[in-house]
C-alpha cells in the first residue's frame, strides 16, 4: 500500500509536539505528530477516512484512514473541561469523510479565554504500525497544505484495529464509576495470568491490559463501549476472562450519571483566613475533634539527572521497588478491609509494566534511577490530571505516593513520620495514604487538607480509622499557624481556627458529653436492654465476618440481626461450595456464643456484582436482578446456601432472611426450597424464615407477607432510596437521602401495623438502627429489634433504657405528620423521654 499524506486540517502556524505545553502530547504518550496554533475556527479532515470517535466533549475527533492509520486531532488543551461549550460537530461516528471535509467548528475567542492553550495536536496514535517519514516545519499553513507523510512499518497492522492473529470483543462497561484504580488493578492481575498480548482500546487510544496505570489513563466511563483485543496462544481465553471480569461489574455495576460521579473540588487558591476564623470544607470522615494544628509538609526529594551506568541504575531501581513492595505487603497483611484494598491497588501500580518500561527507557538514555522513575510516574500524573474526570484525578495521589516511596527507598531516607503530640489535628495541602498510615492514630484527633476529594483513598482510610476529616478546605488552610487551637466539626464541614472562649467551651462540652455517654454506655454494654417502663427491646449487631461477630459480643450485642453473606461470594472467580459456607457460618455462630444469628441469603446484583454471575445488561440494575431475584434466577446457589445454613449447630440458632422481596410469591418460592432441603437433610424442627422489607411493594403489603413470614426486618438504606427515588450512591443527592424522611417513616409504620395483625416481630437492620435520633421513633412505631453497627451497640442500648414506650409512641405519631426529615430530626432532638 502506498504512503499516506496528511494535509493541514486547520489554518495556522505549525509547531513540533515538543513545544506543546502538555506532557501527554509533548512526551508522545498518545502518539507522534505535529501541532498547529490555529488562525481559523474550523477543523477539516486531513485525508479520506472514517470517523471512529467524536469525543463526548466535542473537542477531539479520531479518523481511521483506508490503510489503517489512526489520526487524532485535539482542538486546544484542557478543552475537555468545557464539556462541549463553544464547539459544534459536523460529522458522526462511522461516517466516511473526504480530505477537506468539515469535522468540527469552534469559537476561537471563547477558547482563547477559557482553554489552557489553543494549540491543536494532530497525532498518529498507532505508531507501532506506522512511522512518520516526512513532516512540515515551522511555518504558516492553509487548510489542505502538506502536513506529514506516513509509511507502514514492515508488515505491521494498525494498533487500534484487529491485526492478523489478533482477535477482539466489544464490551459495554457497566461499572458505575468507570475503570478507575481498583478495577484497573484487577484487570491487570487477570491479564498477567495469560501469555497473550492483551489490550483495551477506548476512544482515541489503547493500553496494555497488563498495565493498570495505562488502563486507568484511558478514562473509561460507565456505559462506554470498548474493545478487548489480544494475540497469542491463549488470546481467546484471555479475551473471555477480561471481558467477563468487566461485564461482571467487579462490584460496581449500578448505573450512575457521568456528571454525578464525583464532587467537584477545585484546587486551592491563595487566600487569607476569614475574619470569623471558620473555614469550610467537604466531609471526608465524620466526627468532632478539638486539638492543636500540626502542619505536614513533605520535603522535596532531590534526585540527580545523570546516571552512573545502565546496569547500576536498573539494579538500584529494582531494589527500591522491592523494598516498597515488601513494605506494602506487610502493611496490607495487618490492615482492615479498606487498607488492604487501597494497598492492593498500590501494589498493582508498583508492578505496572508500563511504568517500569518507561523508567528503563530513560535509564537507557543515561538518566539516574530516581530521575527516570519520577519522569515515568510524572507523565501518567499529568495525563490523569488532564482527563477532566475528578475520580481519576483523585487517584493521582496514589501515584504520587508511590513515586515518593520509591524515591525514598532509592535515597535511603527513612519515612518514619514525625512524632506527634496527643490531640494533633493534621493540616496539609494534600495528605497521602502512606502518610496517614504512618502516623500514630492515638495521637491524631483529625485532619484537614486544602486539596483532595471525598472519594480519595486517604478519605476512605480516615473513615476506616475513625478519624474526623475534611478535604478541599482551600488555600486559606495553609495560612493556619502551627500550634493554633482548632475545632474540627467534620459533620458540619467546618474548621474553626483560634476559637473564642464561648465557642471552645461549647465544643468541649459537646465532646465531653459524647465521651461520657459513650463511656457510660460501654460500661453497661452487657446489661439487659429494657425500656424504662419494662418493655424488652433486642439490640443486635450487623456482621460480615468472624471479626465482626467477636466485636458484636465485646460491645454487648445480643445477637446478629444481619449476617451479610456476600463476604463469601464476592471478589472470587467461583462461588463458595457448601462445605466452605458451612464452616464460615459455624465459626460466626460459635463466635456469638449461642446468641441468635440471622443470616441473609445472597444479596448480589445492582452495586454488588460477582464475576461468575454475568447478569445480563440492564438499563437500571438497581431495579433489576437483585437479592432474592438472583437466588431464584440461579436456584442451585440458593439451595447450596440453605443446606450450609442448616448444617450450623445448634439447629435453631440461625434464622434465615430473604433480601429484596417485592411479593409474597418470592417468599413462597424460598419457603418451598427450604422445606425441600429440610426433607433431604432429615430435619423436622422449625427453622424461622423472615423477609427484608426494602421495597415499597413489600412495605405496603406487609400484612400479606407477615401472614407467611416468621419475622420482618426493615433494610432502611434501600427502602429510603426506593421511596425517595434517589440513588444512594450519588454524591450529589447524599445530603437529601435521609431515612427519617416522613415518607420512609410512613412505610415503616405500615410495615409494623401489617406485622402486628399476625403477631410478627419487626426489626430494623439498615443504617437507621445506628442513628440515635431515630431510636425513640422506631420504638414508637412498633419496632422491637434493632441491629446496628457493633461499635455503637452500647449507645443504642443506653438510649433504649432511657425511654418509655408511651412517650415514644407520642413522638412517632408527631413525626409522621412532619413535612421534612429536618423537621423530624428537630423534633427528636427536643424529645424528652
Amino acid at each position: 500500500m502506498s504512503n499516506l499524506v496528511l494535509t493541514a486540517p486547520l489554518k495556522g502556524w505549525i509547531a513540533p509536539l515538543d513545544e506543546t505545553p502538555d506532557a501527554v502530547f509533548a512526551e508522545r504518550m498518545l502518539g507522534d505528530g505535529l501541532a498547529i496554533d490555529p488562525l481559523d475556527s474550523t477543523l477539516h479532515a486531513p485525508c479520506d477516512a472514517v470517523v471512529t470517535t467524536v469525543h463526548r466533549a466535542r473537542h477531539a475527533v479520531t479518523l481511521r484512514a483506508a490503510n489503517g492509520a489512526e489520526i487524532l486531532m485535539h482542538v486546544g488543551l484542557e478543552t475537555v473541561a468545557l464539556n462541549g461549550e463553544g464547539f459544534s460537530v459536523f460529522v458522526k461516528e462511522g461516517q466516511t469523510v473526504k480530505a477537506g471535509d468539515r469535522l468540527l467548528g469552534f469559537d476561537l475567542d471563547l477558547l482563547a479565554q477559557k482553554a489552557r492553550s489553543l494549540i491543536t495536536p494532530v497525532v498518529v496514535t498507532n505508531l507501532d504500525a506506522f512511522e512518520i517519514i516526512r513532516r512540515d516545519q515551522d511555518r504558516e499553513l492553509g487548510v489542505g497544505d502538506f502536513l506529514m507523510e506516513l509509511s507502514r512499518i514492515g508488515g505491521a497492522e494498525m494498533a487500534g484495529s484487529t491485526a492478523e492473529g489478533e482477535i477482539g470483543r466489544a464490551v459495554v462497561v457497566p461499572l458505575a464509576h468507570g475503570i478507575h484504580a481498583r478495577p484497573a488493578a484487577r484487570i491487570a492481575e487477570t491479564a498477567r495470568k495469560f501469555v497473550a498480548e492483551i489490550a483495551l482500546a477506548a476512544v482515541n487510544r489503547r493500553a496494555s491490559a497488563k498495565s493498570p496505570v495505562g488502563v486507568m489513563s484511558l478514562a473509561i466511563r460507565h456505559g462506554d463501549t470498548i474493545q478487548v483485543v489480544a494475540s497469542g496462544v491463549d488470546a481467546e481465553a484471555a479475551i473471555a476472562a477480561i471481558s467477563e471480569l468487566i461485564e461482571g461489574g467487579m462490584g460496581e455495576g449500578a448505573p450512575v450519571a457521568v456528571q454525578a460521579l464525583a464532587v467537584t473540588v477545585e484546587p486551592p487558591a491563595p487566600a487569607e483566613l476569614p475574619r470569623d476564623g471558620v473555614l469550610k470544607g467537604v466531609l471526608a470522615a465524620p466526627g468532632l475533634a478539638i486539638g492543636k494544628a500540626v502542619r505536614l509538609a513533605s520535603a522535596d526529594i532531590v534526585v540527580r539527572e545523570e546516571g552512573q551506568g545502565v546496569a547500576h541504575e536498573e539494579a538500584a531501581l529494582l531494589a527500591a521497588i522491592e523494598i516498597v513492595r515488601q513494605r506494602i505487603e506487610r502493611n496490607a497483611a495487618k490492615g482492615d478491609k479498606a487498607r488492604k484494598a487501597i494497598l492492593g491497588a498500590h501494589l498493582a501500580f508498583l508492578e505496572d509494566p508500563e511504568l517500569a518500561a518507561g523508567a528503563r527507557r530513560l535509564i537507557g538514555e543515561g538518566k539516574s534511577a530516581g530521575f527516570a522513575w519520577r519522569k515515568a510516574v510524572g507523565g501518567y500524573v499529568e495525563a490523569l490530571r488532564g482527563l477532566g474526570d475528578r475520580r481519576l484525578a483523585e487517584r493521582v495521589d496514589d501515584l504520587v505516593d508511590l513515586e515518593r516511596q520509591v524515591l525514598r527507598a532509592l535515597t535511603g531516607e527513612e519515612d518514619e513520620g514525625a512524632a506527634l503530640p496527643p490531640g494533633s489535628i493534621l493540616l496539609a495541602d494534600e495528605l497521602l495514604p502512606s502518610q496517614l498510615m504512618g502516623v500514630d492514630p492515638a495521637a491524631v484527633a483529625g485532619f484537614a487538607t486544602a486539596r483532595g476529594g471525598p472519594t480519595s483513598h486517604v478519605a476512605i482510610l480516615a473513615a476506616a480509622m475513625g478519624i474526623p476529616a475534611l478535604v478541599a478546605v482551600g488555600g486559606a488552610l495553609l495560612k493556619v499557624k502551627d500550634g493554633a487551637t482548632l475545632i474540627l466539626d467534620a459533620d458540619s464541614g467546618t474548621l474553626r481556627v483560634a476559637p473564642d472562649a464561648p465557642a471552645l467551651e461549647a465544643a468541649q462540652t459537646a465532646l465531653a458529653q459524647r465521651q461520657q455517654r459513650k463511656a457510660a454506655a460501654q460500661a453497661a454494654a452487657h446489661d439487659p436492654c429494657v425500656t424504662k417502663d419494662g418493655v424488652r427491646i433486642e439490640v443486635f449487631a450487623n456482621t460480615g465476618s468472624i471479626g465482626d461477630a467477636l466485636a458484636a459480643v465485646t460491645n454487648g450485642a445480643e445477637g446478629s440481626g444481619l449476617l451479610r453473606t456476600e463476604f463469601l461470594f464476592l471478589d472470587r472467580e467461583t462461588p463458595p461450595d457448601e462445605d466452605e459456607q458451612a464452616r464460615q457460618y459455624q465459626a460466626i455462630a460459635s463466635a456469638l456464643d449461642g446468641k441468635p444469628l440471622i443470616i441473609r441469603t445472597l444479596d448480589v446484583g445492582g452495586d454488588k456484582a460477582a464475576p461468575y454471575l454475568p447478569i445480563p445488561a440492564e438499563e437500571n440494575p438497581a431495579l433489576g436482578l437483585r437479592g432474592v431475584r438472583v437466588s431464584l434466577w440461579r436456584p442451585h446457589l440458593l439451595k447450596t446456601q440453605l443446606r450450609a445454613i442448616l448444617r450450623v449447630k445448634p439447629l435453631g440458632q440461625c434464622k434465615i432472611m430473604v433480601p429484596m422481596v417485592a411479593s409474597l410469591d418470592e417468599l413462597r418460592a424460598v419457603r418451598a426450597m427450604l422445606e425441600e432441603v429440610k426433607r433431604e437433610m432429615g430435619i423436622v424442627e422449625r427453622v424461622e424464615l423472615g423477609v427484608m422489607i426494602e421495597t415499597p411493594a413489600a412495605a405496603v403489603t406487609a400484612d400479606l407477607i407477615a401472614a407467611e413470614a416468621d419475622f420482618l426486618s426493615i433494610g432502611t438504606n434501600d427502602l429510603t432510596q426506593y421511596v425517595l427515588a434517589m440513588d444512594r450512591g450519588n454524591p450529589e443527592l447524599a445530603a437529601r437521602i435521609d431515612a427519617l424522611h416522613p415518607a420512609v417513616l410512613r412505610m415503616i409504620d405500615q410495615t409494623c401495623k401489617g406485622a402486628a395483625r399476625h403477631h410478627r416481630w419487626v426489626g430494623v437492620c439498615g443504617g437507621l438502627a445506628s442513628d440515635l435520633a431515630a431510636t425513640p421513633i422506631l420504638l414508637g412505631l412498633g419496632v422491637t429489634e434493632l441491629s446496628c453497627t457493633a461499635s455503637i451497640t452500647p449507645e443504642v442500648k443506653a438510649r433504649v433504657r432511657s425511654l418509655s414506650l408511651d412517650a415514644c409512641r407520642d413522638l412517632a405519631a408527631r413525626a409522621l405528620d412532619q413535612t421534612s426529615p429536618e423537621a423530624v430530626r428537630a423534633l427528636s432532638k427536643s424529645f424528652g423521654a
Side-chain angles (χ1 to χ4, degrees):
M1 184 176 287
S2 59
N3 293 344
L4 176 67
V5 172
L6 300 183
T7 59
L10 280 170
K11 178 182 180 181
W13 281 93
I14 194 169
L17 277 184
D18 308 76
E19 297 179 9
T20 306
D22 188 313
V24 174
F25 292 105
E27 296 179 16
R28 291 167 173 77
M29 294 176 65
L30 291 177
D32 196 10
L34 292 166
I36 300 174
D37 197 356
L39 297 173
D40 201 356
S41 58
T42 304
L43 182 75
H44 300 261
C47 63
D48 296 352
V50 174
V51 179
T52 57
T53 58
V54 178
H55 196 281
R56 61 173 60 87
R58 298 187 286 185
H59 68 298
V61 62
T62 302
L63 305 181
R64 181 182 294 128
N67 69 347
E70 287 196 344
I71 304 101
L72 162 67
M73 290 158 285
H74 190 288
V75 178
L77 301 179
E78 298 188 6
T79 42
V80 65
L82 297 178
N83 291 317
E85 182 184 1
F87 286 94
S88 53
V89 178
F90 304 128
V91 291
K92 60 185 179 181
E93 292 179 357
Q95 179 177 336
T96 299
V97 294
K98 295 288 187 181
D101 285 353
R102 295 189 308 165
L103 302 175
L104 303 177
F106 50 93
D107 187 329
L108 205 58
D109 293 335
L110 184 144
L111 265 61
Q113 295 173 11
K114 294 191 175 184
R116 179 182 177 187
S117 170
L118 289 171
I119 199 160
T120 298
V122 181
V123 173
V124 180
T125 62
N126 51 343
L127 286 177
D128 55 343
F130 293 89
E131 62 180 337
I132 301 173
I133 60 173
R134 188 164 60 101
R135 66 185 86 198
D136 212 331
Q137 299 186 16
D138 187 19
R139 72 181 183 93
E140 184 177 343
L141 295 173
V143 174
D145 287 352
F146 173 82
L147 186 67
M148 59 181 124
E149 183 178 357
L150 311 180
S151 175
R152 180 179 295 283
I153 297 173
E157 292 293 329
M158 77 102 167
S161 68
T162 302
E164 185 176 354
E166 184 177 78
I167 57 177
R169 173 172 162 181
V171 173
V172 178
V173 177
L175 283 74
H177 303 301
I179 298 180
H180 54 94
R182 287 184 290 277
R186 288 192 60 191
I187 290 169
E189 180 185 17
T190 302
R192 289 173 192 156
K193 298 175 182 176
F194 297 93
V195 176
E197 291 298 320
I198 316 162
L200 301 187
V203 190
N204 50 39
R205 61 176 303 212
R206 80 185 211 166
S208 168
K210 299 177 183 180
S211 167
V213 177
V215 169
M216 190 170 63
S217 69
L218 294 177
I220 298 169
R221 300 192 181 197
H222 172 265
D224 282 354
T225 299
I226 65 173
Q227 290 286 330
V228 181
V229 295
S231 61
V233 291
D234 53 359
E236 189 171 337
I239 286 177
I242 297 294
S243 300
E244 288 169 10
L245 177 65
I246 296 170
E247 289 172 340
M250 290 184 267
E252 302 186 8
V256 176
V258 170
Q259 66 269 23
L261 289 181
V263 176
T264 299
V265 180
E266 296 299 328
E272 298 298 326
L273 287 172
R275 289 186 179 181
D276 62 0
V278 178
L279 298 171
K280 294 284 188 179
V282 175
L283 170 68
L288 173 68
I290 302 171
K292 297 291 186 180
V294 176
R295 292 280 299 278
L296 288 185
S298 298
D300 287 337
I301 302 173
V302 179
V303 297
R304 68 182 187 280
E305 182 172 349
E306 296 305 316
Q308 297 178 4
V310 172
H312 172 82
E313 298 299 339
E314 284 189 346
L317 181 60
L318 285 174
I321 289 174
E322 183 59 27
I323 289 171
V324 176
R325 177 187 290 109
Q326 292 179 8
R327 184 181 300 146
I328 290 174
E329 289 174 344
R330 286 196 302 271
N331 286 335
K334 63 185 180 183
D336 55 23
K337 291 179 183 177
R339 181 180 294 223
K340 286 178 180 176
I342 291 166
L343 290 175
H346 281 200
L347 198 59
F349 290 167
L350 189 68
E351 296 170 345
D352 189 307
E354 296 298 324
L355 278 181
R360 284 197 301 271
R361 280 195 297 271
L362 289 165
I363 288 174
E365 296 172 7
K367 306 301 182 185
S368 73
F371 181 90
W373 178 255
R374 174 171 279 170
K375 196 75 171 174
V377 174
Y380 280 110
V381 166
E382 288 300 315
L384 291 174
R385 281 180 171 154
L387 289 174
D389 186 315
R390 291 290 177 183
R391 284 189 63 87
L392 290 177
E394 286 179 354
R395 297 291 81 82
V396 163
D397 287 352
D398 300 306
L399 285 171
V400 171
D401 201 344
L402 281 178
E403 177 200 316
R404 178 173 169 271
Q405 291 183 64
V406 171
L407 292 182
R408 284 192 177 278
L410 279 167
T411 59
E413 295 182 37
E414 291 296 326
D415 195 13
E416 298 290 342
L420 300 174
S424 296
I425 295 181
L426 308 180
L427 306 181
D429 181 23
E430 291 183 287
L431 195 61
L432 301 175
S434 66
Q435 289 177 303
L436 184 58
M437 285 186 262
V439 300
D440 177 6
V444 178
F447 75 79
T449 62
R451 301 176 186 262
T455 60
S456 64
H457 278 162
V458 78
I460 295 169
L461 276 174
M465 296 168 71
I467 297 175
L470 290 178
V471 294
V473 177
L477 182 73
L478 306 180
K479 300 288 185 179
V480 178
K481 295 180 179 179
D482 267 328
T485 300
L486 303 173
I487 299 173
L488 173 65
D489 188 348
D491 298 318
S492 66
T494 60
L495 179 72
R496 186 179 291 273
V497 182
D500 57 22
L504 188 59
E505 183 178 353
Q508 288 170 335
T509 299
L511 192 57
Q513 288 174 344
R514 287 190 188 191
Q515 293 169 343
Q516 287 171 3
R517 284 196 301 267
K518 192 169 184 176
Q522 190 65 52
H526 297 277
D527 293 351
C529 188
V530 180
T531 65
K532 284 167 58 176
D533 45 359
V535 178
R536 179 78 170 92
I537 302 295
E538 292 179 309
V539 178
F540 290 178
N542 296 333
T543 56
S545 65
I546 296 173
D548 288 348
L550 292 171
V553 172
T554 299
N555 284 283
E558 299 167 313
S560 173
L562 168 63
L563 172 61
R564 302 180 181 94
T565 58
E566 295 74 55
F567 78 97
L568 276 169
F569 288 83
L570 300 179
D571 297 324
R572 56 191 296 162
E573 299 303 317
T574 57
D577 61 19
E578 181 183 325
D579 288 340
E580 181 183 356
Q581 290 187 60
R583 286 194 302 271
Q584 291 286 344
Y585 301 151
Q586 183 66 66
I588 292 170
S590 299
L592 289 171
D593 196 23
K595 296 178 176 66
L597 172 59
I598 300 176
I599 300 180
R600 181 175 69 187
T601 57
L602 181 60
D603 185 16
V604 295
D607 60 350
K608 292 176 287 189
Y612 49 84
L613 280 175
I615 293 173
E618 299 174 303
E619 186 172 344
N620 191 343
L623 302 179
L625 280 172
R626 286 200 59 190
V628 68
R629 301 167 197 168
V630 173
S631 294
L632 297 177
W633 175 57
R634 292 292 183 264
H636 64 282
L637 290 177
L638 176 60
K639 187 171 185 178
T640 299
Q641 186 169 33
L642 293 176
R643 289 182 62 87
I645 294 170
L646 292 179
R647 285 171 57 179
V648 175
K649 306 299 181 185
L651 185 66
Q653 180 183 356
C654 295
K655 300 176 175 63
I656 300 169
M657 183 164 65
V658 186
M660 202 54 61
V661 167
S663 71
L664 185 56
D665 286 345
E666 292 167 331
L667 172 63
R668 286 173 173 169
V670 177
R671 173 80 73 183
M673 186 174 291
L674 176 60
E675 293 304 319
E676 177 187 339
V677 170
K678 286 173 61 180
R679 285 193 300 272
E680 292 175 355
M681 299 177 69
I683 295 172
V684 296
E685 293 88 349
R686 180 169 172 265
V687 177
E688 291 190 37
L689 179 65
V691 163
M692 285 194 74
I693 304 296
E694 301 172 274
T695 65
V700 299
T701 59
D703 58 330
L704 303 178
I705 292 173
E708 300 186 28
D710 294 310
F711 62 90
L712 306 180
S713 186
I714 302 169
T716 52
N717 300 354
D718 271 317
L719 181 62
T720 301
Q721 79 164 344
Y722 291 134
V723 169
L724 301 182
M726 293 183 183
D727 180 2
R728 61 190 176 102
N730 185 338
E732 296 294 331
L733 301 174
R736 299 169 59 190
I737 300 177
D738 191 334
L740 281 182
H741 192 291
V744 180
L745 295 181
R746 291 186 178 212
M747 288 288 178
I748 296 173
D749 179 52
Q750 193 161 352
T751 299
C752 292
K753 287 176 178 175
R757 289 179 56 180
H758 301 280
H759 309 288
R760 307 300 191 199
W761 63 265
V762 177
V764 172
C765 60
L768 201 60
S770 301
D771 188 338
L772 295 175
T775 304
I777 298 173
L778 293 175
L779 268 56
L781 292 174
V783 172
T784 59
E785 181 253 17
L786 299 169
S787 191
C788 49
T789 57
S791 59
I792 203 170
T793 300
E795 293 173 75
V796 173
K797 292 179 76 173
R799 179 67 168 143
V800 170
R801 294 189 198 104
S802 72
L803 302 171
S804 66
L805 209 55
D806 284 342
C808 290
R809 292 190 183 106
D810 178 67
L811 173 68
R814 286 185 285 150
L816 293 176
D817 289 333
Q818 302 304 306
T819 59
S820 69
E822 292 79 13
V824 173
R825 290 194 176 277
L827 186 66
S828 178
K829 187 175 181 179
S830 64
F831 172 66

